[in-house]
Amino acid sequence: MTTTWHPTGLLEGQPAKPYGIIILNQPINRNALNAVISHAVLLVCADGGGNRLMKYEEDTELRKRLPDAIVGDLDSLSIEAADYWKCKGVKIVRYADQYATDFTKSLRWMRQEWDKQKGEDAELDVVVMGGLGGRVDQGFSQIHHLYMVHQQPELLRGSIYLLSEQSLSFVLAVGENEVYINQKSFAENVGIIPVLGLTRITTSGLEWDVSDWPTEFGAQVSTSNHIRSDLVKITVGDKRPLLTFELANGLCAAEF
Ligand SMILES: Nc1ncnc2c1ncn2[C@@H]1O[C@H](COP(=O)(O)OP(=O)(O)OP(=O)(O)O)[C@@H](O)[C@H]1O
Ligand SMILES: Cc1ncc(C[n+]2csc(CCO)c2C)c(N)n1
C-alpha cells in the first residue's frame, strides 16, 4: 500500500485535508504559525500555549484567528491570559486529570469538537506548534504523542504534523510513502529517525539514497541527508520511523 503526503500544501495554504492547530507551551515559531493559521478549521491552545498565543497577537504584522478553546489543567495559563481570552469569548476548558498531558487533553477536545461539527467519521489532520528546545522530557513527550495518536481514534482520525523551530516532522506509514514537496517550503536537510527501533528503509529522491537499509539508534541513522527531488519515496519495514524536514529560511523561527 502507498501512503501519500503533501506537507507543502499545509505550509502554502492548500491543505489536502482540513486541519486543526494545537499550540503548546513553547516559544511560537511565528513565521510557521503565520503560514498555517488562516486555513485552520480549529485552533486550540494547550494550557500555557494560551500565554504564547496572546504574545503572538501583539505583532500587528501577523495573521490572526481566535482560538476555539484553551484546554488543560490550567496550572500554566496566566491570569492575564485567561482574562484576555475570556473577554474575547474564548472557551476555557479545565480537565484536572494528572495522568494525561495538556497536549493529550487538547487533542481529545479537538476530536470531540470536530465530531460535533462534522460527525464521527470526519477526518481531521492536526498541526502541532511545538518546540523541541525546551525540557527534554516534554520534548520526548511531543514525539511520543506523534506515535500515540495512531492507536487512539478518540484523539485523532487523520495525520499529525509537528511544526517546531526549524522542522516539520511526521511519522511515516509502514510500506511505501510518497512525499510531495515543493523545495520553496523546505531547506535541504532531512532525517529519517527510527524512534521505535530497528527497521529497514529504501529511499529515492535524496542525495544519499539507500536500499533495504537497516536503521537503528546506536547503529546507523540517516540524518543530514539532502532533498534532491520534489518527490521523495521512502519504503518502510515493520516499525514506523519519524521523517523530519528542515523548513525553508522564511518559515524558521526568528530566534529560539
Ligand atoms: N518546557 C517544555 N518543553 C517542551 N514542551 C513543553 C514544555 N512545557 C510545556 N510543553 C508542552 O506544552 C503543553 C502545555 O504545557 P503546559 O503549559 O500545560 O505545561 P505543563 O503543565 O508543564 O504541561 P503538562 O501538564 O502537560 O505536563 C505540554 O503538554 C507540553 O506538550
Ligand atoms: C508513571 C507516571 N509518571 C508521571 C505522571 C505525572 N503526570 C503525567 S501526565 C501529568 C499531567 C500533567 O498536566 C502528570 C502530572 C504520572 N501520573 N504517572
Side-chain angles (χ1 to χ4, degrees), residues 3-11 15-22 24 36 103 107 124-130 142 145-146 149-150 156 158-164 167-172 178-180 186 242-243 245:
T3 307
T4 55
W5 302 90
H6 297 276
T8 297
L10 273 180
L11 298 168
K17 268 194 263 162
Y19 66 91
I21 297 175
I22 294 178
L24 301 181
V36 293
F103 186 173
L107 281 162
L124 181 68
D125 288 348
V126 172
V127 175
V128 179
M129 299 302 304
Q142 288 179 34
H145 280 76
L146 300 185
V149 290
H150 296 121
L156 181 79
S159 303
I160 186 166
Y161 299 86
L162 177 66
L163 250 180
S164 52
S167 303
L168 178 82
S169 313
F170 53 96
V171 177
L172 290 169
E178 291 185 350
V179 190
Y180 292 87
F186 296 104
L242 185 79
L243 177 65
F245 287 118

Side-chain angles (χ1 to χ4, degrees), residues 28-35 52 55-56 58-59 62 253:
I28 290 181
N29 174 346
R30 290 163 180 245
N31 294 324
L33 182 58
N34 193 46
R52 307 286 184 169
K55 288 219 72 182
Y56 170 92
E58 286 167 6
D59 191 332
L62 297 170

Side-chain angles (χ1 to χ4, degrees), residues 82-102:
D83 288 345
Y84 177 84
W85 294 120
K86 270 188 224 154
C87 282
K88 292 178 182 289
V90 173
K91 269 184 227 153
I92 301 193
V93 183
R94 181 164 182 269
Y95 295 127
D97 178 7
Q98 292 296 289
Y99 290 83
T101 67
D102 295 325

